[in-house]
Amino acid sequence: MVSSFKIIVASIAMVPVIQYTKHIVASLLSTDTFLGIFLQGTFAVAAGASMYILVSMLLKSAELSVLYAAVKRHLIKARVGIDISEGREV
């Protein structure tokens, strides 16, 4: 399966999750305030991103693997204390 098709499938799977989450959160929180709208958006984005990552993992997306490797490499460098711009230990 080509990469762009995998991205499209994951994106399409994400949309109903976001919409459903918005409706659930709206029934639980007051959306008359900034905080209510902010939390509704936050929960919807988190649920949608989770679905996108799950579908991308199931489709074995190369981009997700590259992103995971880059984040992992960055976290390891941050933990060890290596200055990324210079490539030397701090």
Side-chain angles (χ1 to χ4, degrees):
M1 208 181 304
V2 291
S3 182
S4 58
F5 182 72
K6 291 177 182 181
I7 293 170
I8 291 170
V9 169
S11 298
I12 290 171
M14 176 178 65
V15 171
V17 172
I18 290 173
Q19 291 299 327
Y20 187 67
T21 303
K22 284 184 353 186
H23 290 291
I24 290 175
V25 173
S27 68
L28 298 174
L29 297 174
S30 170
T31 55
D32 295 332
T33 64
F34 170 78
L35 182 62
I37 296 293
F38 178 77
L39 290 175
Q40 181 186 30
T42 301
F43 286 124
V45 166
S50 298
M51 176 56 78
Y52 184 88
I53 291 169
L54 176 68
V55 172
S56 294
M57 287 171 54
L58 292 173
L59 295 176
K60 298 180 180 155
S61 172
E63 288 79 12
L64 187 63
S65 300
V66 169
L67 177 65
Y68 177 73
V71 169
K72 185 177 174 183
R73 186 174 52 248
H74 179 72
L75 291 175
I76 289 172
K77 285 182 181 179
R79 223 180 256 164
V80 173
I82 295 175
D83 184 6
I84 297 171
S85 62
E86 300 288 328
R88 58 189 163 102
E89 288 195 32
V90 178

